[in-house]
Amino acid sequence: MSPHPTAVAPGSATAADRSAGTPAWPAVEEPRTDAHLMRGLVAGDESCLAALHRRWSPLVYALAWRTLGDAAEAEDVTQQVFLGVWRGCAGYRPERGPVAGWIVGITRRKIADALSARTRRGELVAAAGAALPAEESATGRPEAAVDRVLVRQALAGLPAAQRHVLRLAYYEDLTQTQIAERTGWPLGTVKSHARRGLRRLRGALEAHRYT
């Protein structure tokens, strides 16, 4: 008997391997196309969403960062985009264009939403800046005060309904119509809560100025 094991040619299998049904080399999974992944997504296969995220999230993030110039906002947009892909996959129509173009379209809408939300937050920043002493406003502190102190405290002091409406408007970027749909309140009620809440918020910020 030879002291050395019998050599097996690459790509072949021993009799034991064949009898056990074990391949000599592991099968290599072929990359799935976007179209295949979308069909799986519509069928509820979450692994297809993960695959699309791995494939396209770098592009989505790059587009968001280029427009927003903020890593955290770009990350948030990327998450929102793929949440939109998951929720809206049934609405994708291949005849209208490739999956990549569809995802880019969602990305552009989410970037626009982020810019709108930034504008709304800027309104609160401006209100807080007006309520602070001039020397504090000049040093760029109003925005930090909004995030950490002023608006949080002022909102906490509002009646629950007014606080809820303003949080939905400024932190979730919902329109008054969307807030009415979310809460089930009449649109007129939502407008009234928003108007009164803003009035009280301004009053609270003005009171902070003189304390």
Side-chain angles (χ1 to χ4, degrees):
M1 179 181 293
S2 170
H4 303 290
T6 304
V8 179
S12 66
T14 66
D17 287 336
R18 286 193 296 270
S19 63
T22 303
W25 301 96
V28 177
E29 182 180 355
E30 292 295 326
R32 291 179 289 181
T33 66
D34 287 343
H36 181 274
L37 292 174
M38 286 301 298
R39 288 194 294 271
L41 200 60
V42 171
D45 186 348
E46 294 185 13
S47 71
C48 292
L49 179 64
L52 285 170
H53 185 275
R54 287 192 299 270
R55 185 172 297 174
W56 294 112
S57 62
L59 173 62
V60 170
Y61 178 87
L63 291 173
W65 188 89
R66 187 180 306 164
T67 302
L68 299 170
D70 182 277
E73 284 187 290
E75 285 283 359
D76 184 61
V77 164
T78 302
Q79 293 179 11
Q80 291 297 321
V81 166
F82 286 95
L83 181 60
V85 168
W86 174 255
R87 290 176 173 173
C89 60
Y92 169 68
R93 296 292 179 267
E95 64 273 13
R96 296 180 183 175
V99 173
W102 179 65
I103 292 176
V104 167
I106 297 174
T107 302
R108 288 173 176 162
R109 291 193 293 275
K110 296 302 181 183
I111 289 173
D113 290 344
L115 290 172
S116 177
R118 180 184 289 180
T119 298
R120 291 177 181 271
R121 289 194 300 270
E123 294 174 359
L124 290 182
V125 170
L132 288 172
E135 61 273 14
E136 294 189 6
S137 298
T139 59
R141 293 181 59 189
E143 187 169 356
V146 167
D147 291 338
R148 291 183 295 219
V149 181
L150 293 180
V151 169
R152 190 174 301 169
Q153 290 181 349
L155 283 173
L158 295 179
Q162 296 174 15
R163 181 172 64 250
H164 188 48
V165 167
L166 292 184
R167 284 188 181 279
L168 291 175
Y170 286 101
Y171 292 102
E172 296 193 30
D173 195 33
L174 299 184
T175 66
Q176 292 181 339
T177 299
Q178 291 170 328
I179 293 171
E181 294 172 352
R182 171 81 69 87
T183 60
W185 296 336
L187 180 58
T189 299
V190 170
K191 290 181 177 180
S192 177
H193 285 322
R195 184 171 58 251
R196 292 174 182 174
L198 284 173
R199 187 182 303 121
R200 292 180 65 128
L201 185 63
R202 293 192 194 99
L205 293 171
E206 283 293 332
H208 174 83
R209 180 178 181 179
Y210 296 106
T211 58

